[in-house]
Amino acid sequence: FATCDVEYYHRQQMLFLDFLQAGLVARKQSKVNWDPVDMTVLANEQVIDGRGWRSGALVEQRELTQWFLRITDYAEDLLGAIDRLDNWPDKVRTMQRNWIGRSEGLRLRFGFEPNDRLSATSVEVFTTRPDTLFGASFIALSPDHPLTAELAADDPRLDEFVAECRRHGTATETIERGEKKGYATGIHVKHPLIEGRTLPVYVANFVLMDYGTGAIFGCPAHDQRDLDFARAYGLDVIPVVLPEGADPVAFTIADEAYTGPGRIFNSALLDGLTIDEAKEKVAAILEAVTLDGGPQAVREVNYRLRDWGISRQRYWGCPIPIIHCETCGVVPVPKKDLPVILPEDVDFDRPGNPLDRHPTWKHVDCPHCGRPARRETDTMDTFVDSSWYFARFTAPDAEDPTDPQMANAWLPVDQYIGGIEHAILHLLYSRFFTRAMRKTGHLDMAEPFKGLFTQGMVTHETYQTEEGAWISPAEVIVETDGDTRIARQAETGRTVHIGSIEKMSKSRKNVVDPDEIVRTYGADTARWFMLSDSPPERDVQWTEAGIEGASRFVQRVWRLVGEARTIRERADSAQATAIDKDQLLPLLKATSRSIARVGEEIENLRFNKAVAHIYDFANAISRFTAEENCPGSLWGSKDHIQAVDAAALALVQLIAPMMPHLAETCWQELGKEGLVADAAWPEADPAYLSDDTIALPVQVNGKKRGEITVPVDADRAEVERQALSLDAVARILDGKPPKKVVVVPNRIVNVVA
RNA sequence: GCGGGCGUGGUGGAACCGGUAGACACACAGGACUUAAAAUCCUGAGGGGGUAACCCCGUGCGGGUUCGACUCCCGCCGCCCGCACCA
């Protein structure tokens, strides 16, 4: 990731200005919870009266102007296109779908009963369940709702309730306990479809201001939260959805809301409809009703996805190229004045944003009117940097952010490999950026990454002393005593506790120093070990034994190559003896098959299987490189030498992607010019990829009882005859004819007794 | 709570689209080489029973579909991950 690179930041600032011009940037003012020590915005952390404590740090509320990228403009597109990312893991696709969180519903207005406390005459709610409107028994406003503020102005107890909510509102324990708290405002609204019915208006701690309209109608019978709330405040619970087969008279809600399918009842004109039909009908009716000069209901799609706040009050990051002028307002830095460069004489000793505190940096003249003005001191989130580097990389020297021709030629990235931790943020931001950059003409495609692969992490056991201090594997000696393992601290000899296997991290100290590994075993061994055994999407457990095993294989390849060379050196004196060529077949087949299989496995990123095939291949070769194992008549013949030579070369080429250093050395050892890396991938001889005969397992009642060897594509009757003549089969049949014989050509025979 | 995934020997893991479960490797045991050790090579091994040929059981648990199920379906149990008062 090319962060903190002036050249790159220069282009990123250009891009930001292009986005600004294209209407992709928003500037929002908001009250945020702010940690002046950590310099972070803690929108969701606990705040007590504007000043509170969070992990030892002082938290305060602040008015901040923040910069946002309008990712929500692309919510629908980003969501819909997920379906077409078919080379992405389902897990990541699901995570992105959930993150965007689309829900279809109705924005619906409830008119207030006459009162003299509110300026508005109606309140708007968002619901995905308009079908349950007849089950509504209350309205709940978010503590942060503007109407709540109006009501709190002349109601000190409500004011106190709101403060209370702010204190606990979003603290994790409150959410986990799920405790529903509310305050009855005394205000009522009219039910839109039931003449004369009114609903009380509450302020409730579980209603979020930043989703929907910040207000809901509660239908306790069919929503768990509403039910909990209704039970706590003695509100009506009116079931309006009847499960299939339930008795409308006897059906009641106890302490679990019914959210399943069914037919609408207790709902006058909606009775008997399905949920979907009822939703449609309510929408249609209320769309046509006029309230306060507009329709009472509007169909609306809501997203969980928020605009992307890119403002960071930190030093490290790309400066946002904006100047604030008292006269001209927000003025973009002219492109000719870019890049805006971070000052180097900054002071981190005191809390706060060093850019803001810097004595001179932020003071500039307005590019418009020339009067003294102030630089924006926010820097961009580093996710901005990582959202488009792949596009920049297609033309790293371009004056503009990209060279569209190059970008379009190279992109999208065919195969992206990264950790699952980027499933949402980085990968979603990059998808958004690609669309945004299409709008600004920097490239022309929607999706940046065609294929995605999420690889696992390297894990290791953890070790802890009796005092609970973490110690690193390097300081520990593990002994095995039968099936128990005892770990001791090398220095003191004291036993240490062997803890769980976790992702390597500094805090747990379960880290193995890569330099150490490379020094002891070499880079190839380390690489080989990581690729063998575990499928790449899964975590690999780093073990001493595992790396030893890998190291042994490195030695083994080297020995094999040496033996192959020795055999070849006798080529001149070799006799073209008349040999039984069939004896060479296993080696020839192994060579061709290994080439085919390993290639295929690598293509599909199944490196662990590629490794297994390579082991197989090495085993096959060694049967021909030692005189005592090799069929006698072959030894030293030209055919033998040729086959061993070809096999050794193939082996070297097959390991090359995974153990490049070893492979190059072996390549030279075998007398080849140039680099393996430059050589074409070896070709499998199709003649050796198929067999003339095949071993066919024979089952009786689904249990394997024997095996027959038959020609490939053998006649069904012949296969059946041979299968039935097997001793084991005949014994079980005991003279009786089989009920049935299933012959799956070239696969299996199953005799049903 | 919602969503997704996983469960196979002592261990990491194979098994294509329903067709020989345990490839390959690690660890282990026995043997060869060696004065000895290391390294290397050979052999063995899912569990149980049997001198043996062989038999029984076996992919988290319980059912089902099928000639045949690690694989498909239904119901549980356990673990992991993501989101989470989203109306």
Side-chain angles (χ1 to χ4, degrees):
Chain A
F1 292 84
T3 53
C4 306
D5 171 329
V6 171
E7 291 285 300
Y8 188 70
Y9 276 175
H10 182 175
R11 274 69 198 197
Q12 190 159 302
Q13 290 170 353
M14 291 168 73
L15 200 54
F16 179 88
L17 296 178
D18 290 340
F19 281 10
L20 187 68
Q21 200 173 15
L24 290 158
V25 177
R27 198 164 142 263
K28 298 180 187 173
Q29 275 189 324
S30 49
K31 237 186 185 174
V32 296
N33 302 333
W34 156 267
D35 182 333
V37 176
D38 198 32
M39 289 179 277
T40 41
V41 171
L42 311 163
N44 292 319
E45 296 296 335
Q46 177 181 346
V47 169
I48 301 167
D49 294 335
R51 297 185 82 84
W53 295 92
R54 171 193 158 265
S55 49
L58 190 66
V59 174
E60 56 189 48
Q61 277 211 322
R62 259 205 188 186
E63 192 78 33
L64 271 191
T65 302
Q66 295 186 282
W67 295 90
F68 288 81
L69 294 182
R70 293 194 192 274
I71 189 171
T72 53
D73 285 0
Y74 291 86
E76 190 65 53
D77 186 20
L78 287 167
L79 180 71
I82 291 173
D83 294 339
R84 295 188 295 276
L85 293 173
D86 35 24
N87 285 320
W88 280 40
D90 286 340
K91 183 185 169 76
V92 174
R93 297 206 283 170
T94 308
M95 281 165 74
Q96 291 211 351
R97 273 191 207 104
N98 293 344
W99 188 260
I100 295 170
R102 180 184 201 272
S103 56
E104 247 172 77
L106 211 57
R107 186 187 275 258
L108 168 64
R109 277 192 292 162
F110 287 80
F112 288 120
E113 287 279 276
N115 70 80
D116 53 9
R117 297 172 62 200
L118 291 167
S119 55
T121 56
S122 65
V123 58
E124 235 179 349
V125 304
F126 175 73
T127 179
T128 56
R129 295 297 303 270
D131 54 305
T132 64
L133 190 52
F134 283 83
S137 52
F138 65 94
I139 296 287
L141 305 176
S142 164
D144 300 315
H145 197 280
L147 292 178
T148 303
E150 272 187 45
L151 291 166
D154 60 3
D155 185 347
R157 282 174 52 223
L158 175 56
D159 197 42
E160 173 51 31
F161 176 77
V162 170
E164 174 78 21
C165 289
R166 293 237 170 94
R167 240 168 277 161
H168 297 294
T170 47
T172 8
E173 325 93 74
T174 317
I175 294 169
E176 267 161 25
R177 244 183 296 123
E179 203 179 343
K180 305 286 180 287
K181 286 190 172 165
Y183 180 88
T185 61
I187 302 285
H188 287 76
V189 297
K190 300 185 194 100
H191 192 287
L193 293 175
I194 308 173
E195 193 62 40
R197 166 89 62 89
T198 65
L199 307 175
V201 177
Y202 282 77
V203 173
N205 66 343
F206 64 94
V207 182
L208 306 174
M209 190 58 220
D210 60 1
Y211 186 80
T213 62
I216 59 160
F217 82 74
C219 175
H222 305 291
D223 182 288
Q224 194 58 46
R225 290 156 306 167
D226 296 349
L227 183 64
D228 295 343
F229 188 77
R231 293 297 185 217
Y233 292 93
L235 299 163
D236 292 342
V237 178
I238 311 157
V240 290
V241 179
L242 187 67
E244 187 80 28
D247 175 1
V249 180
F251 183 67
T252 53
I253 300 292
D255 47 11
E256 206 172 307
Y258 179 73
T259 55
R263 294 265 169 190
I264 305 296
F265 73 130
N266 291 340
S267 297
L269 74 170
L270 301 180
D271 283 353
L273 299 181
T274 64
I275 290 173
D276 285 340
E277 287 163 357
K279 282 180 180 171
E280 175 55 36
K281 191 159 181 181
V282 170
I285 292 171
L286 294 177
E287 269 173 338
V289 175
T290 302
L291 183 73
D292 288 350
Q296 184 159 17
V298 181
R299 291 172 213 246
E300 193 179 71
V301 177
N302 253 298
Y303 300 92
R304 207 189 73 100
L305 185 68
R306 298 272 87 94
D307 270 341
W308 173 17
I310 58 161
S311 276
R312 296 291 179 273
Q313 294 75 39
R314 290 182 175 277
Y315 172 77
W316 292 111
C318 177
I320 294 176
I322 291 289
I323 290 165
H324 299 274
C325 170
E326 290 212 357
T327 320
C328 313
V330 174
V331 182
V333 174
K335 281 196 177 173
K336 65 173 174 54
D337 294 344
L338 293 180
V340 177
I341 297 173
L342 292 166
E344 291 190 17
D345 52 337
V346 278
D347 161 26
F348 294 99
D349 295 345
R350 284 181 300 140
N353 182 354
L355 292 180
D356 198 30
R357 284 199 331 262
H358 191 276
T360 56
W361 187 76
K362 67 177 171 182
H363 301 295
V364 286
D365 292 337
C366 172
H368 249 184
C369 64
R371 270 180 275 209
R374 180 176 61 77
R375 265 194 206 292
E376 173 62 62
T377 57
D378 281 357
T379 54
M380 295 184 208
D381 180 1
T382 50
F383 272 116
V384 174
D385 310 355
S386 56
S387 293
W388 69 288
Y389 73 92
F390 45 88
R392 177 73 189 164
F393 283 6
T394 62
D397 298 322
E399 274 305 309
D400 288 326
T402 65
D403 174 341
Q405 271 202 330
M406 294 301 262
N408 294 335
W410 283 102
L411 296 174
V413 173
D414 295 303
Q415 182 65 60
Y416 196 72
I417 300 178
I420 188 73
E421 68 272 22
H422 290 129
I424 297 173
L425 300 180
H426 167 54
L427 290 169
L428 191 62
Y429 292 152
S430 298
R431 295 182 62 217
F432 159 64
F433 249 71
T434 308
R435 287 164 167 79
M437 289 172 76
R438 174 188 240 175
K439 189 173 181 187
T440 51
H442 293 296
L443 43 73
D444 189 21
M445 71 207 60
E447 292 295 339
F449 312 130
K450 198 162 162 240
L452 173 68
F453 187 88
T454 53
Q455 95 277 28
M457 285 170 297
V458 182
T459 62
H460 199 283
E461 280 184 339
T462 49
Y463 306 103
Q464 243 176 329
T465 63
E466 272 172 44
E467 292 77 31
W470 300 103
I471 55 176
S472 77
E475 303 170 66
V476 174
I477 296 169
V478 181
E479 294 154 4
T480 28
D481 176 22
D483 44 355
T484 53
R485 298 172 66 239
I486 298 163
R488 288 177 198 287
Q489 191 164 15
E491 206 177 312
T492 61
R494 296 172 57 197
T495 53
V496 296
H497 173 70
I498 301 180
S500 59
I501 297 154
E502 291 180 51
K503 166 185 165 186
M504 288 191 181
S505 74
K506 282 180 216 151
S507 62
R508 297 289 159 98
K509 292 201 181 162
N510 59 338
V511 189
V512 176
D513 180 7
D515 290 339
E516 190 73 21
I517 299 158
V518 170
R519 219 173 303 134
T520 317
Y521 299 100
D524 281 347
T525 306
R527 223 187 310 250
W528 183 255
F529 168 60
M530 280 189 285
L531 293 173
S532 47
D533 292 358
S534 270
E537 68 274 16
R538 226 179 283 188
D539 290 348
V540 198
Q541 197 197 339
W542 189 276
T543 63
E544 205 52 34
I547 188 83
E548 291 280 356
S551 176
R552 239 171 294 161
F553 184 68
V554 170
Q555 304 301 327
R556 183 149 180 237
V557 170
W558 180 243
R559 264 199 318 277
L560 266 181
V561 166
E563 284 162 4
R565 198 190 136 165
T566 313
I567 289 170
R568 199 193 45 190
E569 274 166 359
R570 289 203 302 259
D572 296 338
S573 59
Q575 299 296 311
T577 38
I579 53 156
D580 182 0
K581 273 200 171 180
D582 281 355
Q583 289 182 318
L584 262 182
L585 265 178
L587 182 58
L588 298 171
K589 281 184 178 177
T591 305
S592 279
R593 276 168 205 202
S594 301
I595 291 170
R597 283 179 188 156
V598 171
E600 198 188 314
E601 302 295 7
I602 290 177
E603 284 283 312
N604 290 302
L605 307 177
R606 292 187 292 244
F607 306 117
N608 59 319
K609 285 157 92 184
V611 166
H613 291 313
I614 290 174
Y615 275 121
D616 265 337
F617 186 29
N619 289 342
I621 299 176
S622 27
R623 283 190 272 280
F624 291 85
T625 52
E627 193 162 5
E628 62 271 27
N629 300 329
C630 187
S633 61
L634 286 180
W635 189 253
S637 70
K638 272 198 169 123
D639 291 317
H640 173 243
I641 290 165
Q642 231 168 47
V644 168
D645 203 40
L649 277 174
L651 178 69
V652 167
Q653 289 192 271
L654 297 187
I655 63 164
M658 298 179 254
M659 296 199 280
H661 303 99
L662 175 65
E664 295 297 351
T665 306
C666 292
W667 191 248
Q668 281 178 17
E669 182 72 9
L670 290 171
K672 300 298 273 189
E673 299 289 319
L675 299 175
V676 201
D678 292 328
W681 190 250
E683 288 205 25
D685 184 342
Y688 295 121
L689 292 180
S690 55
D691 285 302
D692 301 339
T693 60
I694 192 167
L696 220 49
V698 178
Q699 299 181 327
V700 179
N701 296 332
K703 232 171 232 178
K704 189 195 168 191
R705 296 293 170 175
E707 212 169 64
I708 54 175
T709 303
V710 294
V712 168
D713 297 325
D715 181 59
R716 194 174 276 262
E718 172 61 16
V719 170
E720 189 171 328
R721 193 192 59 75
Q722 282 199 37
L724 290 176
S725 67
L726 277 179
D727 278 354
V729 176
R731 194 167 351 107
I732 295 169
L733 284 176
D734 196 22
K736 289 182 246 62
K739 286 207 188 89
K740 189 175 172 186
V741 179
V742 182
V743 177
V744 183
N746 302 328
R747 261 263 132 87
I748 205 162
V749 182
N750 191 14
V751 178
V752 185

